[in-house]
Amino acid sequence: MKALRVLFIASELNPLAKVGGLADVIGALPKALKKQGVDVRIMIPKYSMIDPKQYPMQRIARRIPVRLYNRTYLVNVFTTKLPGTSITVYLIDQKDFFADGGVYYSKTALVGTFKEIERFLFFGRAALESLPHLGWKPDILHCNDWHTAFIPVWLKTIYCCHHPFYASLRTLYTIHNLANQGIGDLKLLKVANVSTRALPSLERDARNNDIDLMVQGILTSDAINTVSPTYVKEILTPEYGERLDPVLKLRQRDLYGILNGIDTDVFNPSTDVHIRQRYSVKSFEQKQINKAALQQMCGFHVDPRVPVFGMVSRLTHQKGFDLLIKLRKELIKLPMQLVILGTGDATIEKALVALSKRSSRTMCIFLKFDAKLAQMIYAGSDFFLMPSRFEPCGLGQMIAMRYGTPPVVRSTGGLADTVRHLKTGVVFHDYAAKALLAALHTAIRIYHNPHVYTALAKAGMRQDLSWGSSAQVYMRLYRKLLASHS
Ligand code: ADP
């Protein structure tokens, strides 16, 4: 059988440019697909933060004209390799859009201001324009989240009809998080050079004179998927549909839920260079050394008898911090320590800082993005806390299990699919402070029964959390897309 050729197009890629779980997926799923024989490549913007010394680059195409609104910009394409692999990464270079700052303009700009949306519209258009210059033609464009949602729109409305090169391309659109839709002023359609008449779907979209990129991606791609079987069911309901459940229902036949995995080579406690002491299931007791180091770093009392709860997370409405903040009085009294690493919403940051000031011997917060510290928390904590309001898949809980740190999670989306109550973690149901408190009590009780605790932690470590089987599901979906259109 001819090898499938798949191009991932995304705004984030671990380790080159990471904000959250999207980067992890784009850095890991292609590796698993490659292992199974797919000719897979990745395309991201060439952000100025990507260090060419760390990731040696080669320019393979120059001065490709890309039109946005009434201006033509010139784009260069560079390549590098995904570290430790032979996978080609294409980097779209255009200084007007990608020269300043990090992946997104603001810390929480996953949501999208006009400038941010314009920037990613440019990226999508540049991705399409650069395809004939790569010397390699994909069968599938695998687009991810709102940042690349207009690619199928342009393919359907402009490229497929006028350029034979594009006619055979198929698109899969993955929703990593339905909450971030890329909603902006209708003027953005002018920026994108798409007429309102070309988009029959617009009546389902434009409310208050705006355009929703996520809606357009859902309606125009050949298939859509999201990142866990539970979340795919949830988003068809008003409670979790973020107002798009009616739109998603229109595409229900082409909508799939495929569980994320984690890169078990990158996240591996027996090889991790960032942690104080490496360990495996067999040497699980060595994990204690990481706990002591973490307690010391946080200024906590270094005491093996007190359970440490860790959190590594974007600080957003999604992640359940309001429940934690509501529990401030109870938290202080609980025989536990809590360390949080995250950045994001300023009000959440402020509330957590206030909380940690009140109880600095048992609560510690780091307001930054720090991949190394994240690993120290995964390895050094006794439990990993994820009380999410909703969670498309969630990778934190899987990384934690890989490190023998049982997660305490709310049963939603991918958390419900990956953590088993009292088998690999602690699961609570209601989105309520009381329910979270009860789960914390349960975890503390388990911790004080070493036999039960160790069994829970080791069961988590022994699971197959890799991308292997999900990569096969993606391959079947790619083939289905190609077959149904040939
Ligand atoms: P989301 O994609 O909603 O942000 P996930 O749990 O799917 O949540 O993935 C989050 C990823 O980002 C994990 O790899 C987590 O360790 C990482 N991460 C989140 N915040 C930070 C931070 N402040 N520093 C380092 N890593 C972080």
Side-chain angles (χ1 to χ4, degrees):
M1 211 186 300
K2 201 174 122 243
L4 277 165
R5 282 167 308 206
V6 179
L7 179 65
F8 278 73
I9 312 179
S11 59
E12 296 183 36
L13 169 62
N14 189 43
L16 284 75
K18 172 165 169 175
V19 175
L22 172 61
D24 289 326
V25 174
I26 308 302
L29 171 57
K31 281 193 207 170
L33 289 166
K34 177 106 188 167
K35 269 193 201 146
Q36 310 212 12
V38 178
D39 182 359
V40 60
R41 305 188 186 192
I42 303 165
M43 185 177 273
I44 59 168
K46 186 173 175 293
Y47 303 109
S48 56
M49 62 180 276
I50 302 173
D51 181 2
K53 283 200 202 96
Q54 203 176 351
Y55 307 106
M57 296 175 192
Q58 208 187 343
R59 184 163 52 196
I60 58 147
R62 57 193 303 163
R63 299 175 69 77
I64 302 167
V66 177
R67 216 165 155 68
L68 202 69
Y69 192 37
N70 54 7
R71 219 184 125 181
T72 300
Y73 299 83
L74 298 176
V75 161
N76 299 318
V77 182
F78 287 76
T79 58
T80 187
K81 295 288 178 201
L82 186 64
T85 74
S86 59
I87 296 174
T88 298
V89 178
Y90 296 105
L91 300 138
I92 298 290
D93 176 39
Q94 215 304 317
K95 303 235 165 354
D96 288 354
F97 292 98
F98 306 119
D100 57 343
V103 176
Y104 305 114
Y105 282 142
S106 83
K107 280 195 283 186
T108 49
L110 292 165
V111 189
T113 57
F114 190 96
K115 240 181 110 192
E116 191 87 70
I117 295 178
E118 185 183 49
R119 179 176 184 235
F120 283 106
L121 281 174
F122 178 81
F123 170 57
R125 194 68 193 246
L128 282 171
E129 288 293 338
S130 65
L131 287 182
H133 302 270
L134 306 180
W136 174 83
K137 188 181 167 193
D139 304 309
I140 304 277
L141 300 182
H142 189 151
C143 303
N144 297 278
D145 272 352
W146 70 260
H147 318 92
T148 52
F150 239 65
I151 290 173
V153 176
W154 284 312
L155 265 181
K156 289 262 156 72
T157 56
I158 302 175
Y159 287 80
C160 67
C161 332
H162 304 303
H163 307 266
F165 175 90
Y166 295 90
S168 62
L169 292 174
R170 298 293 160 247
T171 51
L172 174 63
Y173 179 61
T174 300
I175 301 169
H176 297 265
N177 195 335
L178 193 64
N180 307 316
Q181 296 175 9
I183 301 175
D185 195 292
L186 212 50
K187 281 192 212 122
L188 284 160
L189 278 180
K190 273 214 178 101
V191 172
N193 299 101
V194 172
S195 92
T196 39
R197 268 170 297 135
L199 290 178
S201 53
L202 201 64
E203 78 226 35
R204 302 193 180 279
D205 177 354
R207 295 171 301 256
N208 313 322
N209 228 17
D210 61 20
I211 171 93
D212 184 325
L213 269 63
M214 180 73 90
V215 169
Q216 297 303 325
I218 292 168
L219 290 171
T220 56
S221 52
D222 294 314
I224 309 111
N225 81 292
T226 185
V227 289
S228 70
T230 296
Y231 191 60
V232 82
K233 284 188 219 141
E234 286 175 344
I235 59 177
L236 291 166
T237 67
E239 191 186 348
Y240 290 95
E242 304 283 347
R243 295 174 295 116
L244 299 195
D245 42 303
V247 176
L248 285 159
K249 278 196 184 129
L250 292 174
R251 297 295 320 268
Q252 202 166 348
R253 274 185 42 173
D254 303 308
L255 177 64
Y256 302 83
I258 308 175
L259 190 68
N260 280 342
I262 55 167
D263 188 328
T264 45
D265 296 330
V266 171
F267 297 114
N268 183 351
S270 60
T271 56
D272 195 326
V273 292
H274 295 315
I275 62 179
R276 180 69 60 89
Q277 175 64 50
R278 292 179 213 152
Y279 59 97
S280 63
V281 188
K282 282 197 191 123
S283 56
F284 181 70
E285 66 291 343
Q286 302 267 14
K287 185 177 183 326
Q288 277 297 322
I289 299 171
N290 296 299
K291 171 174 176 172
L294 183 64
Q295 285 178 314
Q296 193 169 33
M297 192 182 64
C298 293
F300 298 158
H301 188 49
V302 179
D303 185 345
R305 291 165 305 172
V306 182
V308 176
F309 287 70
M311 293 180 89
V312 180
S313 176
R314 290 182 296 112
L315 305 182
T316 63
H317 174 74
Q318 171 189 342
K319 301 290 182 178
F321 287 99
D322 54 328
L323 298 187
L324 208 61
I325 292 160
K326 270 192 200 141
L327 288 180
R328 55 185 169 272
K329 286 196 188 119
E330 290 84 349
L331 273 180
I332 293 172
K333 291 185 215 140
L334 285 178
M336 60 176 270
Q337 298 165 340
L338 175 63
V339 48
I340 303 174
L341 167 64
T343 57
D345 192 297
T347 33
I348 300 177
E349 287 189 356
K350 229 172 106 185
L352 292 176
V353 168
L355 205 65
S356 68
K357 277 194 181 140
R358 279 178 58 172
S359 46
S360 61
R361 294 291 287 164
T362 55
M363 237 192 105
C364 177
I365 171 140
F366 297 95
L367 295 178
K368 57 179 175 174
F369 186 91
D370 186 335
K372 182 174 175 216
L373 180 54
Q375 293 319 109
M376 292 165 71
I377 294 175
Y378 285 118
S381 304
D382 298 305
F383 292 99
F384 189 78
L385 193 53
M386 258 175 111
S388 304
R389 187 182 299 268
F390 64 92
E391 196 59 71
C393 178
L395 300 177
Q397 82 283 11
M398 287 199 261
I399 303 170
M401 288 190 280
R402 175 91 172 129
Y403 280 75
T405 306
V408 178
V409 303
R410 185 170 100 80
S411 179
T412 181
L415 296 174
D417 293 327
T418 54
V419 184
R420 285 172 301 142
H421 186 52
L422 305 185
K423 299 260 185 337
T424 56
V426 176
V427 181
F428 67 98
H429 290 267
D430 294 346
Y431 190 80
K434 232 171 94 182
L436 170 59
L437 185 61
L440 291 175
H441 278 296
T442 305
I444 293 167
R445 250 195 332 271
I446 289 172
Y447 185 72
H448 290 295
N449 187 337
H451 186 67
V452 175
Y453 173 76
T454 309
L456 202 70
K458 287 189 176 176
M461 289 181 96
R462 286 200 184 99
Q463 292 176 109
D464 179 10
L465 299 164
S466 76
W467 272 101
S469 55
S470 291
Q472 285 183 8
V473 181
Y474 273 106
M475 280 171 70
R476 282 200 291 277
L477 182 52
Y478 297 144
R479 291 221 181 271
K480 193 169 164 186
L481 287 181
L482 291 177
S484 63
H485 286 83
S486 56

